[in-house]
Amino acid sequence: MAIPRIQDLDDPTFDPYVSDEVMFGSMPDMHERVAEVRAQCPVHKGSWFTSMGLMPTPEEQVWPEVYRVMTYDGVQQVLNNPEIFSNRAFEPTLGSSFGPHSLSVLDNPEHLKYRKIFQKAFLPNVVGRWGDVYVQPVIDELFGAFREAGKADLVPQFSQLYPFRVIYRMLGMPDEDLAVFQKLMLTQIFFSFAPDKAKEASEKLGTYFTALIEERLENPGEDLVSALATAEVDGERLPVAYVVDFLRQLFNAGGDTTYRATANLLVALLRDGGELYRRVRDDRSLLPRAVEEVIRWESPVSSTNRLVLRDTEIEGVKIPANSVVNASLASADRDETKYACPEKFDIDREQRPKHMGFGQGPHVCIGQHLARVEITRAMETLMDEFPDLRLDPDEDEPVIVGAMLRSPRHVHVRFD
Amino acid sequence: MTSKPFRKWMCLNCGYIYDEEVGDPEEGLVPGTRWEDIPDDWTCPDCGTSKAEFEMVEI
């Protein structure tokens, strides 16, 4: 049985990268605004999205009472008490994009049962091996395309591409479908401003993955789809619907976030004359610290949601049942009571308490170990191949923008 | 007398690694704290999974 070709959107000119600003915002000063709000009160009524000038999200229509939790302690309480704060909050949003069996919308005991199966493929001892097999070849290919040019824009030419390609190769999918595939994966989460496009993308991905899983069940290989399609839970094969929903989620959870974190790290290291770039280049033991610090400093996902199952209280503020809380990871990671000078990108900082960039609790990021491998490999290779990398003085300085997923649109560099 | 080598234990729910040599000071586990000396009701600091859901691993 042959793998089917993936179907493009009915409007093939739709560009998810242009639409990114509408969905996730383009403001450069999000942290300044957040700091002001956090200083007023640890918990505020009203949603993160509308407070940031973004479009209201579908869950606000289902559960209109929304609270923003801004402090580290408050966010920690939300994420670590799943018996009160449910992931059902994502049913109208990520649940419609990825599907009702996506890990993002499941609560225990179902979440625990299936998460362990999927996590098995992303444990540190597994993803460490993927660095050589999948990550490094993709990085080498992309760098090879501009190595002789003397200059590049590292967002469209590198960071925006590589994590998607890594996952794509892990799944053993055909190269000729990559561009359409990446477009669909990004479009499927535009549930707020382009719901028809999001639905179309989600359905086309679902059709494709279902056929792909059937093909891999007939001809299992060494790829991740084969591993998941043949995995068992409690002596039964993992249901196809759960695998499809996981695969739909995988590219956004593992691609969108990693590309932004990598681009943010490039900005942090290269700005101010590139002193930090040279310091890390010359002492690679600092690189893991730089990776953790950029995930604290610019948390890839600014806020996450939970549905409140019973009346409760956060930081002294009463929160009624059937309201939604937006737990702001970005605000928690800049909480002045936890981190000195939180606005400073400081690779010498002790990460105590642990940053919230990957979340906490039962839904802590399943791909965090792969993200670390990818970002570390990317920066190691960059520093080896382009030791004199510097921002291009003839181009605008890169600016990190956005209010939900943040990253620079461009990082123009020069090298000899 | 040679001391027992330090080991690493991994949470199967999230991949958090407990390294006996490093401990987890933030969690009140000083460097050198052996796995068997950690209380049974201790939970993974990242995801809250029980100690029983950890396995010893070679990283």
Side-chain angles (χ1 to χ4, degrees), chain A residues 170-189:
Chain A
M170 283 163 47
L171 300 180
M173 290 161 61
D175 284 349
E176 59 267 27
D177 286 338
L178 177 59
V180 171
F181 193 81
Q182 186 162 337
K183 185 200 295 184
L184 294 183
M185 296 303 292
L186 293 170
T187 303
Q188 66 172 334
I189 60 168

Side-chain angles (χ1 to χ4, degrees), chain A residues 97 146 232 240 297 347:
Chain A
S97 300
F146 59 74
E232 293 189 350
V240 170
W297 184 64
I347 61 174

Side-chain angles (χ1 to χ4, degrees), chain A residues 31 46 59 64 79 86 161 176 179 188 241 244 280 289 305 316 333 348 367 405:
Chain A
H31 288 293
E59 84 270 6
L79 300 186
S86 163
L161 303 176
E176 59 267 27
Q188 66 172 334
V244 169
V280 177
R289 302 177 75 107
N305 302 339
D333 276 341
D348 298 312
L405 303 179

Side-chain angles (χ1 to χ4, degrees), chain A residues 115-116 119 124 353 361-362 369, chain B residues 10 13-15 24 26 46-47 53:
Chain A
R115 172 171 170 123
K116 278 164 92 174
Q119 181 71 72
H369 310 293
Chain B
M10 182 169 63
N13 191 57
C14 74
D24 194 337
E26 199 180 327
D46 282 1
C47 76
E53 296 290 337

Side-chain angles (χ1 to χ4, degrees), chain A residues 131 135-136 139 143 158 162 258 261-262 265 269 280 284-292 294-295 358 368-384:
Chain A
V135 180
Q136 196 63 48
I139 291 171
F143 285 174
F158 177 66
Y162 88 104
T258 303
T262 305
L265 183 55
L269 295 179
V280 177
R284 301 296 173 87
S285 71
L286 297 173
L287 186 50
R289 302 177 75 107
V291 172
E292 295 306 315
V294 82
I295 292 167
F358 290 124
Q368 59 174 307
H369 310 293
L370 177 60
R372 289 187 176 100
V373 168
E374 289 177 315
I375 300 169
T376 302
R377 286 271 180 162
M379 299 310 296
E380 287 269 19
T381 309
L382 203 62
M383 289 170 174
D384 287 344

Side-chain angles (χ1 to χ4, degrees), chain A residues 182-257:
Chain A
Q182 186 162 337
K183 185 200 295 184
L184 294 183
M185 296 303 292
L186 293 170
T187 303
Q188 66 172 334
I189 60 168
F190 290 166
F191 37 72
S192 294
F193 87 100
D196 293 343
K197 291 273 190 309
K199 186 168 184 285
E200 181 191 351
S202 177
E203 287 175 352
K204 285 179 171 169
L205 287 165
T207 302
Y208 180 77
F209 281 137
T210 302
L212 186 67
I213 290 165
E214 288 174 6
E215 192 272 338
R216 296 292 156 83
L217 282 170
E218 284 184 21
N219 304 294
E222 299 295 313
D223 60 281
L224 183 60
V225 178
S226 297
L228 296 176
T230 56
E232 293 189 350
V233 54
D234 296 341
E236 295 176 16
R237 187 160 279 176
L238 202 52
V240 170
Y242 285 78
V243 182
V244 169
D245 290 2
F246 181 78
L247 292 174
R248 272 196 285 233
Q249 181 171 17
L250 179 60
F251 275 72
N252 284 91
D256 224 1
T257 49

